[in-house]
């Protein structure tokens, strides 16, 4: 079974600074999908960024980028020029490309606070 | 607007009183799933459905039931709720695509069982 580990329960950073959230995972599969979800105080789950394991290039979405290290099974999220609206819980998630259950396996989350 | 809706958003109930949380999506998605979120545990899958009349257990199915009679609806049923089912519940849906399709989440239902 796949597992996802987020070792930083809480982080805080000054506004406009850069912050990196860590995520490691364990799987025996060679092809899979990785995601970062943001959960603001409203509790809505918002997709931030996704990465296909077969792609070597790291995904980027505006101020958000990932550092995907397949051999190390590491998938960190970098937030540049952090903004107050980035304050949220961030979840790393893994999804297996099987034909049956396409569930997301989540980490325990990192609570990020942006300090004005 | 493409969306997943859940009702109710907040619910307080007592032990043993049957309840249903509804989930509906308007994107013609085949795959639907229920998760529960608990502090320090992240989100865990309760049940999922690959299409109409096709449902199966996730990681934490005890105490829950589901049905999928229509493609758009996937209700979560608690026949006899207990306090350990106090949690935040999310419904999600996606096209079936071997994991590559984006999974869309509902707004969540916060349940308190007394």
């Amino acid at each position: 079974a796949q597992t996802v580990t987020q070792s930083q329960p809480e982080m805080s950073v000054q506004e406009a600074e850069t912050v990196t959230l860590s995520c490691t995972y364990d799987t025996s599969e060679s092809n899979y999908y990785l995601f970062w979800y943001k959960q603001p105080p409203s509790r809505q789950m918002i997709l931030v960024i996704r990465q296909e394991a077969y792609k070597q290039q790291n995904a980027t979405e505006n101020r958000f980028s990932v550092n995907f290290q397949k051999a190390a099974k590491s998938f960190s999220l970098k937030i540049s020029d952090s903004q107050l609206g980035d304050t949220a819980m961030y979840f790393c998630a893994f999804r297996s490309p099987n034909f049956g259950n396409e569930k997301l396996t989540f980490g325990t989350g990192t609570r990020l606070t942006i300090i004005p | 607007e493409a969306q997943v809706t859940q009702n109710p958003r907040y619910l307080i109930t007592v032990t043993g009183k049957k309840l249903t949380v509804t989930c509906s999506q308007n994107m013609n998605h085949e795959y639907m799933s229920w998760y529960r979120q608990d502090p320090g545990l992240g989100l865990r899958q309760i049940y999922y459905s690959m299409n109409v009349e096709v449902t199966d257990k996730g990681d934490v199915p005890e105490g829950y039931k589901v049905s999928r009679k229509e493609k758009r609806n996937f209700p979560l049923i608690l026949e006899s709720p207990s306090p350990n089912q106090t949690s935040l519940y999310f419904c999600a849906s996606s096209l079936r695509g071997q994991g590559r399709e984006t999974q869309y989440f509902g707004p969540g239902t916060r349940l308190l069982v007394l």
Side-chain angles (χ1 to χ4, degrees), chain A residues 44-94:
Chain A
Q44 179 71 46
M45 294 292 287
I46 302 166
L47 178 64
V48 175
I49 199 165
R50 58 178 282 158
Q51 173 80 42
E52 290 85 356
Y54 61 85
K55 289 186 178 179
Q56 293 187 336
Q57 187 174 7
N58 289 324
T60 300
E61 289 287 344
N62 301 312
R63 297 182 295 107
F64 299 88
S65 61
V66 298
N67 183 5
F68 173 50
Q69 301 290 327
K70 191 172 183 179
K73 295 181 182 175
S74 172
F75 182 61
S76 61
L77 174 69
K78 185 171 85 171
I79 306 174
S80 304
D81 185 26
S82 57
Q83 302 174 357
L84 296 178
D86 296 333
T87 291
M89 180 76 90
Y90 287 82
F91 291 99
C92 178
F94 173 102

Side-chain angles (χ1 to χ4, degrees), chain B residues 7-114:
Chain B
N7 283 292
R9 296 288 311 280
Y10 304 91
L11 181 59
I12 302 174
T13 189
V14 295
T15 299
K17 187 176 181 181
K18 181 180 178 180
L19 67 91
T20 299
V21 183
T22 65
C23 172
S24 183
Q25 50 91 7
N26 62 1
M27 296 169 279
N28 202 36
H29 287 167
E30 301 95 346
Y31 181 85
M32 298 185 75
S33 181
W34 277 102
Y35 297 87
R36 60 176 288 173
Q37 181 182 356
D38 302 291
L41 296 177
L43 284 78
R44 295 174 294 165
Q45 189 187 52
I46 304 171
Y47 267 95
Y48 69 97
S49 170
M50 291 191 287
N51 216 323
V52 176
E53 302 292 359
V54 182
T55 63
D56 205 348
K57 297 176 181 178
D59 296 321
V60 289
E62 294 77 21
Y64 304 94
K65 286 176 58 176
V66 293
S67 68
R68 188 92 182 272
K69 294 183 170 58
E70 303 166 289
K71 197 172 187 179
R72 63 184 294 130
N73 297 323
F74 190 44
L76 180 70
I77 303 157
L78 284 72
E79 294 270 2
S80 182
S82 62
N84 64 12
Q85 292 178 298
T86 291
S87 188
L88 177 60
Y89 291 88
F90 286 99
C91 180
S93 74
S94 73
L95 293 169
R96 288 191 63 193
Q98 298 175 249
R100 77 173 72 92
E101 301 294 339
T102 297
Q103 197 158 128
Y104 295 86
F105 283 81
T109 294
R110 185 170 290 281
L111 172 65
L112 173 61
V113 183
L114 300 172

Side-chain angles (χ1 to χ4, degrees), chain A residues 93-108:
Chain A
F94 173 102
R95 199 173 190 191
S96 172
N98 61 51
F99 287 96
N101 188 4
E102 299 190 32
K103 76 172 182 180
L104 287 160
T105 300
F106 287 88
T108 53

Side-chain angles (χ1 to χ4, degrees), chain A residues 10-58:
Chain A
E10 295 188 18
M11 295 185 72
S12 60
V13 66
Q14 292 288 141
E15 189 177 6
E17 291 186 348
T18 295
V19 61
T20 299
L21 281 59
S22 302
C23 173
T24 59
Y25 57 93
D26 187 24
T27 183
S28 58
E29 300 186 47
S30 59
N31 191 26
Y32 45 85
Y33 301 88
L34 296 164
F35 305 84
W36 278 98
Y37 279 87
K38 171 184 177 180
Q39 187 179 51
S42 66
R43 301 293 187 182
Q44 179 71 46
M45 294 292 287
I46 302 166
L47 178 64
V48 175
I49 199 165
R50 58 178 282 158
Q51 173 80 42
E52 290 85 356
Y54 61 85
K55 289 186 178 179
Q56 293 187 336
Q57 187 174 7
N58 289 324

